[in-house]
Amino acid sequence: MDKSIVILGSGTAGTLTANRLRRTYDERECRITVVDQNDDHVYQPGLLFVPFGLAEPHALVRPRPRQLLDGIAYRSAEIDRVDLTADRVHFTDGTSLGYDVLVVATGASLLPEETEGLTGPGWGEKVHTFYDLPGAVALHQALERFEGGRVVIDVVDLPIKCPVAPLEFAFLADWYFQRRGIRDRVELTYVTPLDGAFTKPVAAKALGGLLKEKGIELVTEFALGEVDGTGGRLVSYDEREVPFDLAVVVPLHGGAEYVDRSPGLGDELGFVPVDRHTLQHPDHPHVFAIGDAAGLPASKAGSVAHFEGEVLAHNIGRFLAGKPLDASFDGHTNCFIETGFHKALLIDFNYDTEPLPGHFPGALGLPLLKESRANHLGKLAFEWLYWHSLLPGRELPGIGSAMPEHGKTHTPA
Amino acid sequence: MTTATYADTSVTVDDEGFFTDPGQWTEPMAEQIAREQDIATLTDRHWTVIHFMRAEYAAKGTGPTVRILGKTSGVSVKELYQLFPKGPAKTAAKIAGIPKPRGCI
């Protein structure tokens, strides 16, 4: 077998997929090439902590090529388009690369300019996002200057990377202003297009309860139509208004731009449709997608990319060997949710099972849907695991792709 | 699961009133469902969205979100909210006789 696997994107999903494949196949069996347009790998879970001064921006960034095992080719290039009939990736510098298997792992892009007024007057001053590194740094400075008033956290629409991060921001903001002794001068409001604090009913109830406990107002079914940065107002399409002195907005997300330029590759939002169990493109069997780039009914979160990686590496092997794909991703997602005061919740769910109370990964594990110090320590420990175990494509002991059932209390939603 | 009667025909709906079997829906039912949603008359623009919702459901197994409707139906998000003030994706799905759009996670 002398096959060429091209992986577009070397974020969490692309890097761990390349490394998993390299561990399985030597260089004589298949050539693996990873492509990215910049060389900075950002530890995205850390972006949440930057605005509160809990993480140093430079500590979150490492070189992409250094995260790849020996024997993986790395190419720094901007992708122009994928030609699915010729099985070639074309780059903006005029060169191209053929493949036997293509893995799309170029993640999700922020599209703030798609919301009227969001990037207009006030953007970067009183209207911010923490979903990229420059934004998180600017928001840190804005929070340090903030002496009181209305802080609004708004999710424009789903899907977004890490759907719990905006909630975590609200919880940490409550903690941050209390620590500064000005919480009584700050009104916190969480604004969402959903009909509750979260998509899944059991978790929505628990998280909505926490918002209430912390005195954070919840505004639901708010479809953001316009940001009036000068007047300090969020205006919905149905003409409701939420006033703010500081707005923290999670912008619309879409897939990478080249997906739109590649006929047949992506959906309306630039994500790549794939079978939700095998991760294979429905119309192009030698194209797969993983992580945030995939148009799946699963969270856009690093844990999903990790669990998908195990399935994808196996299925690519089966595909190259001409055998039917037999590994199945169950939608497993696992998220720590920081709630401030050195505590965090943990949720664990898949396509079919709600986030349930109980313990993870078994009866003696971390508490689910319940604040605890152990979960906070788990979240902090995760950064080391990310660089040293998850990205290199190693198994995390006791935590496999399939969602564990042991230790969960199956209460009805 | 419960039943509702539209255009003198009994249909199966879920707890929130969305059709569970889109095959039971007929066009004459739409006007009556629309009135229940405080939409007095269905215009051609409403029907553009309703037909689009049904075609999307038939093709993908779920109704589109507002954002996808705005990008692909030929009706802008702003106009969608004028046509279906209580929330275009959900209201139009209900009138079009398809299950509640799954949305994203």
Side-chain angles (χ1 to χ4, degrees), chain A residues 98-380:
Chain A
Y99 58 81
D100 294 299
V101 166
L102 180 74
V103 177
V104 179
T106 33
S109 315
L110 305 181
L111 306 170
E113 64 287 349
E114 282 203 16
T115 299
E116 196 178 328
L118 179 53
T119 53
W123 179 238
E125 291 160 22
K126 56 198 278 194
V127 182
H128 292 267
T129 186
F130 65 96
Y131 264 54
D132 59 21
L133 200 49
V137 171
L139 180 53
H140 175 50
Q141 290 155 0
L143 281 175
E144 282 196 321
R145 290 192 301 267
F146 198 77
E147 292 301 328
R150 293 176 304 265
V151 177
V152 173
I153 298 108
D154 177 80
V155 177
V156 179
D157 201 358
L158 300 177
I160 57 168
K161 295 187 275 186
C162 192
V164 296
L167 283 160
E168 294 181 282
F169 187 92
F171 298 143
L172 286 173
D174 166 66
W175 164 81
Y176 171 84
F177 290 121
Q178 284 202 40
R179 198 189 57 168
R180 282 187 48 196
I182 59 168
R183 179 65 180 91
D184 57 340
R185 281 189 264 149
V186 179
E187 275 176 51
L188 281 171
T189 307
Y190 187 80
V191 183
T192 169
L194 299 172
D195 56 10
F198 195 61
T199 44
K200 305 268 184 177
V202 176
K205 203 173 157 194
L207 294 164
L210 265 182
L211 286 173
K212 201 170 177 184
E213 242 175 63
K214 292 174 187 292
I216 302 166
E217 188 195 356
L218 175 63
V219 176
T220 57
E221 298 191 270
F222 190 93
L224 182 67
E226 186 194 341
V227 178
D228 172 7
T230 314
R233 296 177 309 147
L234 301 183
V235 186
S236 67
Y237 281 109
D238 58 1
E239 291 167 2
R240 284 180 286 154
E241 291 188 5
V242 174
F244 66 81
D245 295 302
L246 181 72
V248 180
V249 179
V250 182
L252 292 175
H253 283 41
E257 271 184 42
Y258 75 88
V259 175
D260 290 334
R261 294 192 295 266
S262 307
L265 183 60
D267 65 16
E268 301 89 340
L269 302 180
F271 298 115
V272 176
V274 287
D275 181 281
R276 68 185 199 145
H277 295 301
T278 64
L279 309 177
Q280 188 178 39
H281 196 290
D283 305 321
H284 303 281
H286 50 330
V287 175
F288 296 81
I290 181 170
D292 296 351
L296 287 175
S299 291
K300 297 201 179 300
S303 68
V304 174
H306 170 218
F307 298 134
E308 287 172 344
E310 190 180 320
V311 169
L312 181 61
H314 179 87
N315 278 347
I316 287 174
R318 297 279 295 184
F319 178 80
L320 289 174
K323 295 176 180 166
L325 309 188
D326 62 356
S328 179
F329 176 58
D330 66 359
H332 188 195
T333 309
N334 184 281
C335 307
F336 287 109
I337 305 172
E338 275 295 298
T339 54
F341 304 95
H342 312 299
K343 288 182 182 174
L345 265 85
L346 178 63
I347 58 174
D348 190 69
F349 58 100
N350 68 13
Y351 289 138
D352 304 314
T353 307
E354 284 273 329
L356 296 168
H359 292 83
F360 175 87
L364 295 175
L366 296 167
L368 289 163
L369 272 174
K370 209 182 199 179
E371 284 184 286
S372 80
R373 277 177 195 277
N375 286 336
H376 168 69
L377 294 174
K379 177 139 186 158
L380 297 185

Side-chain angles (χ1 to χ4, degrees), chain A residues 111 114 157-158 163 199 221 223 237 252-253 268 297 299, chain B residues 56 60 67-68 71-72 77-78 81 85 90 100 104-105:
Chain A
L111 306 170
E114 282 203 16
D157 201 358
L158 300 177
T199 44
E221 298 191 270
Y237 281 109
L252 292 175
H253 283 41
E268 301 89 340
S299 291
Chain B
E56 281 281 295
K60 296 178 182 167
R67 189 168 158 214
I68 291 175
K71 271 186 180 285
T72 54
V77 175
K78 206 164 196 165
Y81 272 92
K90 280 198 274 186
K100 187 177 176 179
C104 302
I105 297 156

Side-chain angles (χ1 to χ4, degrees), chain B residues 34-99:
Chain B
R35 280 194 296 276
E36 286 179 5
Q37 300 299 311
D38 299 327
I39 297 170
T41 314
L42 291 177
T43 63
D44 288 349
R45 294 299 275 170
H46 285 105
W47 280 107
T48 300
V49 179
I50 292 165
H51 290 311
F52 188 85
M53 295 292 286
R54 287 191 67 82
E56 281 281 295
Y57 179 80
K60 296 178 182 167
T62 182
T65 61
V66 179
R67 189 168 158 214
I68 291 175
L69 268 176
K71 271 186 180 285
T72 54
S73 68
V75 182
S76 72
V77 175
K78 206 164 196 165
E79 188 183 353
L80 283 165
Y81 272 92
Q82 286 159 0
L83 293 169
F84 304 96
K86 284 185 179 174
K90 280 198 274 186
T91 313
K94 201 170 268 187
I95 298 170
I98 62 169

